Amino acid sequence: MASETTITTSDYIKHHLQNLTFGEKQVESTAGNWIPTGEWGFASSAQEATQMGFWSINVDTMLLSILLGALMMWFFRSVAKTVSADVPTPAQNFAEMVIEFINDTVRGSFSGGKNELVAPLALTIFVWVFLMNLMDLIPVDLLPMAVAQGASALFGVDPHHVYFKVVPSTDPNATMGMALVVFGLMLYYSFKIKGTGGFLAELSFEPFGKWALPINIVLETVTLLAKPFSLGLRLFGNMYAGEMVFILIATMYSASLVLGSLAGLLQVGWAIFHILIITLQAFIFMVLTIVYIDMAHQHH
Amino acid sequence: MNINATLIGQAIAFLLFIGFCMKYVWPPIMQALDDRKKKIADGLAAAERGKHEQELAEKRAQQVIHEAKEQANEIISQAQRRGNEIVDESKDSARVEGDRILTSARAEIEQEANRAKDELRSQVGSVALAGAAKILGREIDDKAHTDLLEELVSRI
């Protein structure tokens, strides 16, 4: 409980970067040696979360991303239910504006003929990623504090050991999960459109022709695998860095009055700039997805 | 910042959202947008057609007005001509009627005059005789002088 009174800047930042992880509880028997307890629960430290291994889940990421996704689907579904070709309601107008924008982008980047999936996929990506990124604009301490205080009041746990990361897209699991789905779709369309032989031929005979087959396979496989990684890590990196800047600005508030007021200015400036970044990152994720799936449709 | 099962959960959530969007969101809204596009195109075409029709109708109306004016002019001139004819005809018939009335009146007058002359002629002898008898104050032989008076009368 000594940490209650003396939270260093480093602790503050680490606390903010830790997800609320649910998994098999671990205890440190000796220094650096963790053993599972057989009980399931929330990790109370970053080390314990790491020790939980793969079969644990970041509850905050899942909760917020599904909440935001459901919000988005609820909005578009409620519009879709009452949609009419007559004079649109304001909500319908907004939904149509978004959909027209997505549709134009898809038409501009996708040349693979008729595909029922790409446009709804692009819409889901753009709006969902945008909403997840948008959580970045909520003041960094607001939701984590609320959750920590709420948990402490309801379950009597130490609020300093309740972690809550507000922006799902600063969790590599979220961005890589989406990128993996996109990767799966790329593979699916590659096999479907080109056939197994065609796809393998593309991997083996490009770009240097059949006499350099091993080099081709290495190059093409790397190219192929780089796509989901670049997709997922670009979004993660941008959002993580943006979140980090917000956290660093937030640490200035407690320094002094001068630094604190400077931090206020900085935060407003960075938030305004960040509006651009979150939109741009959502757009980039969407456009790259369209382009990758379009590439999967192309014969060489 | 650990890679864990969240990766799978997120992928499943993502797939579910894509499926929902593909099935329940995109098609109806796209349908409405296409419908509206078609509606607007139809409306514009209808407006164009309406404009064209209006032009035609205006042209036709002008033609009808022109024809009506011509017809009206014709009718007016015909009526004038007919009026003049009627006036002329009535003038003629009036003249003829007048002439007829005049001649018949003249004939009647002549007849009346003749009758009066005859009557006068028949009475003048006796009047003269009576006058002469009064003047002479004596009896005159009626018979002897009647012949003389007859001759006198015939000379009148």
Side-chain angles (χ1 to χ4, degrees):
Chain A
M1 294 295 147
S3 61
E4 259 184 67
T5 45
T6 54
I7 297 178
T8 63
T9 304
S10 161
D11 287 341
Y12 176 81
I13 293 171
K14 277 181 190 158
H15 193 275
H16 267 287
L17 295 180
Q18 178 56 42
N19 281 104
L20 179 64
T21 310
F22 183 87
E24 193 177 6
K25 296 282 277 176
Q26 312 273 330
V27 282
E28 195 173 18
S29 56
T30 55
N33 191 10
W34 293 76
I35 51 163
T37 61
E39 269 179 70
W40 289 72
F42 291 108
S44 56
S45 69
Q47 287 88 353
E48 191 182 355
T50 311
Q51 290 302 319
M52 279 177 174
F54 184 77
W55 291 112
S56 55
I57 195 153
N58 293 343
V59 177
D60 46 1
T61 303
M62 289 306 294
L63 190 77
L64 277 168
S65 62
I66 289 175
L67 203 72
L68 292 169
L71 182 76
M72 163 204 174
M73 289 302 160
W74 168 79
F75 171 71
F76 279 102
R77 180 62 193 156
S78 65
V79 167
K81 261 196 241 166
T82 58
V83 76
S84 78
D86 299 324
V87 181
T89 59
Q92 188 185 334
N93 224 337
F94 177 72
E96 278 178 9
M97 192 184 78
V98 175
I99 283 185
E100 288 270 22
F101 166 68
I102 304 286
N103 202 29
D104 284 350
T105 313
V106 170
R107 242 183 256 165
S109 316
F110 186 74
S111 54
K114 201 169 159 53
N115 190 318
E116 300 285 329
L117 177 92
V118 176
L121 171 70
L123 174 70
T124 311
I125 290 176
F126 181 69
V127 181
W128 198 26
V129 171
F130 176 77
L131 286 176
M132 289 197 286
N133 294 352
L134 192 66
M135 301 303 284
D136 219 354
L137 295 182
I138 296 174
V140 284
D141 274 321
L142 191 65
L143 286 182
M145 283 288 235
V147 169
Q149 295 303 326
S152 133
L154 286 174
F155 309 113
V157 294
D158 181 3
H160 291 283
H161 291 291
V162 176
Y163 301 95
F164 199 80
K165 217 168 156 189
V166 180
V167 193
S169 46
T170 56
D171 181 353
N173 290 303
T175 60
M176 283 313 293
M178 295 178 80
L180 281 181
V181 171
V182 173
F183 185 57
L185 287 170
M186 280 162 60
L187 290 183
Y188 169 73
Y189 281 114
S190 290
F191 281 116
K192 190 184 164 195
I193 303 289
K194 298 167 190 164
T196 311
F199 184 44
L200 291 181
E202 189 184 295
L203 288 182
S204 350
F205 301 139
E206 308 237 340
F208 297 125
K210 57 184 173 180
W211 299 114
L213 194 132
I215 301 172
N216 288 342
I217 288 181
V218 170
L219 277 178
E220 284 293 307
T221 309
V222 168
T223 310
L224 188 70
L225 291 179
K227 284 172 185 169
F229 276 100
S230 71
L231 197 60
L233 293 180
R234 176 184 298 107
L235 178 61
F236 161 71
N238 275 286
M239 297 325 294
Y240 189 80
E243 174 79 347
M244 186 68 107
V245 173
F246 274 120
I247 295 169
L248 288 175
I249 291 171
T251 60
M252 288 168 69
Y253 283 116
S254 57
S256 70
L257 190 65
V258 180
L259 271 180
S261 27
L262 179 66
L265 271 177
L266 277 175
Q267 187 171 8
V268 171
W270 181 242
I272 291 171
F273 180 60
H274 215 58
I275 294 173
L276 182 70
I277 293 180
I278 61 176
T279 319
L280 192 68
Q281 286 306 320
F283 183 71
I284 288 173
F285 200 109
M286 175 186 81
V287 169
L288 282 179
T289 303
I290 300 169
V291 168
Y292 289 159
I293 290 185
D294 180 48
M295 283 163 84
H297 278 73
Q298 252 139 39
H299 291 276
H300 289 284
Chain B
M1 260 240 299
N2 316 299
I3 291 293
N4 55 29
T6 312
L7 190 75
I8 298 168
Q10 195 74 18
I12 292 169
F14 185 37
L15 275 172
L16 289 179
F17 285 136
I18 296 169
F20 185 86
C21 189
M22 197 173 142
K23 212 166 157 127
Y24 299 112
V25 171
W26 192 265
I29 295 180
M30 227 40 216
Q31 183 65 42
L33 287 177
D34 285 348
D35 283 354
R36 177 157 334 117
K37 252 177 224 159
K38 207 171 150 286
K39 220 167 157 180
I40 290 171
D42 287 352
L44 286 177
E48 196 63 35
R49 217 166 35 237
K51 214 169 141 191
H52 187 65
E53 263 166 27
Q54 197 211 349
E55 264 169 29
L56 280 183
E58 241 167 49
K59 225 178 264 177
R60 211 161 41 228
Q62 225 134 32
Q63 208 178 337
V64 167
I65 289 171
H66 188 68
E67 272 172 19
K69 264 186 193 159
E70 268 181 9
Q71 226 163 19
N73 280 342
E74 205 175 313
I75 288 170
I76 288 171
S77 62
Q78 230 168 25
Q80 267 171 349
R81 218 163 37 232
R82 182 79 192 113
N84 287 345
E85 269 173 26
I86 289 171
V87 169
D88 286 351
E89 267 172 27
S90 48
K91 265 187 197 160
D92 284 353
S93 64
R95 198 162 35 241
V96 169
E97 183 71 9
D99 283 354
R100 201 178 55 78
I101 290 170
L102 212 60
T103 45
S104 73
R106 267 189 196 137
E108 213 168 313
I109 289 166
E110 213 169 317
Q111 237 172 10
E112 285 293 316
N114 283 346
R115 204 169 36 229
K117 266 185 203 165
D118 284 350
E119 211 166 313
L120 226 68
R121 214 177 272 144
S122 65
Q123 285 179 1
V124 108
S126 52
V127 169
L129 267 183
K134 286 257 165 85
I135 293 163
L136 289 178
R138 66 178 178 170
E139 205 128 328
I140 304 163
D141 187 9
D142 256 358
K143 198 160 165 46
H145 296 289
T146 302
D147 295 336
L148 195 74
L149 284 169
E150 287 282 328
E151 200 200 322
L152 192 77
V153 166
S154 69
R155 248 187 244 168
I156 294 168

